[in-house]
Amino acid sequence: MRVVIAEDLALLRDGLTRILEAFGCQVVGAVDNGPSVLPALIAHRPDVAVLDVRLPPTFTDEGLQAAIRARAEIPGLPILVLSQHVEQLYARELLSDRLGGVGYLLKDRVSHVDQFVDAVRRVAAGGTVMDPEVVAQLLASRSGAGPLDELTPREREVLGLMAEGRSNAAVAARLFVTEKAVNKHINNIFSKLRMPPSTDDNRRVLAVLAYLHGEDGRRPRTPA
């Protein structure tokens, strides 16, 4: 598995490189600033990119902006965001793209190396990996009445677990209910969100996250 890393802190960048290589990955590029991200991704076309959000020169949202531009240049490029921050505007833009694997993890909540490497592999394989805190902030930031407000507390709980990338069996185990009950909740969620049901775990998560951007389900535009 070929990986490009974008991280400005030298120790962390080197640490990520060593960890991934120890697990059999090939780090084909490692950059430390925003302007270098897109050229590296286009040049190497990796199996997955691991990007920080805030990179030089402005330390705002260079990493996410580069990820969005890279997806435009290389449709379906798997992107795993690894950051200390949840940048909601650009996170929604990235997550609403239904092509390719995508993930968003918070650095201080990744407690095990195996957990991180598994997330990288899942995203590279086209899956979705979301930190529960990221999901919570995206859900909490929605304002105004809409279909999401029609969900019951249990359905919102199931929706949050879906957005983390959990399977029906994993949701059932977490909530101590049967898979049949989970299936019923998911069908209700899709019905209330005006979405056709889907058995594709990755697409259903991305569809939910795309919905969280706006009532009309249109893909958000990248701000100038």
Side-chain angles (χ1 to χ4, degrees), residues 13-29:
R13 187 172 62 254
D14 184 64
L16 291 173
T17 298
R18 291 174 182 271
I19 288 171
L20 290 171
E21 290 181 340
F23 280 82
C25 302
Q26 180 185 6
V27 177
V28 295

Side-chain angles (χ1 to χ4, degrees), residues 136-150:
Q137 290 195 35
L138 291 177
L139 285 170
S141 67
R142 279 184 59 89
S143 60
L148 190 66
D149 299 305
E150 299 176 18

Side-chain angles (χ1 to χ4, degrees), residues 76-153:
L77 174 67
I79 300 285
L80 173 61
V81 176
L82 182 65
S83 181
Q84 292 179 318
H85 313 279
V86 181
E87 298 290 346
Q88 294 185 14
L89 178 62
Y90 286 102
R92 292 177 189 276
E93 172 76 5
L94 176 64
L95 295 169
S96 67
D97 183 348
R98 304 186 188 187
L99 299 175
V102 66
Y104 202 128
L105 298 179
L106 299 180
K107 291 177 181 177
D108 58 356
R109 290 169 57 86
V110 179
S111 55
H112 301 287
V113 169
D114 289 349
Q115 176 189 2
F116 167 68
V117 176
D118 178 65
V120 173
R121 288 175 172 160
R122 285 171 61 187
V123 172
T128 302
V129 179
M130 296 291 295
D131 187 289
E133 180 61 26
V134 176
V135 175
Q137 290 195 35
L138 291 177
L139 285 170
S141 67
R142 279 184 59 89
S143 60
L148 190 66
D149 299 305
E150 299 176 18
L151 301 184
T152 66

Side-chain angles (χ1 to χ4, degrees), residues 4-6 31 33-42 51 55 62-63 66-67 70:
V4 166
I5 296 171
V31 301
N33 63 84
S36 297
V37 175
L38 185 58
L41 294 176
I42 293 176
L51 310 177
L55 295 170
E62 288 89 349

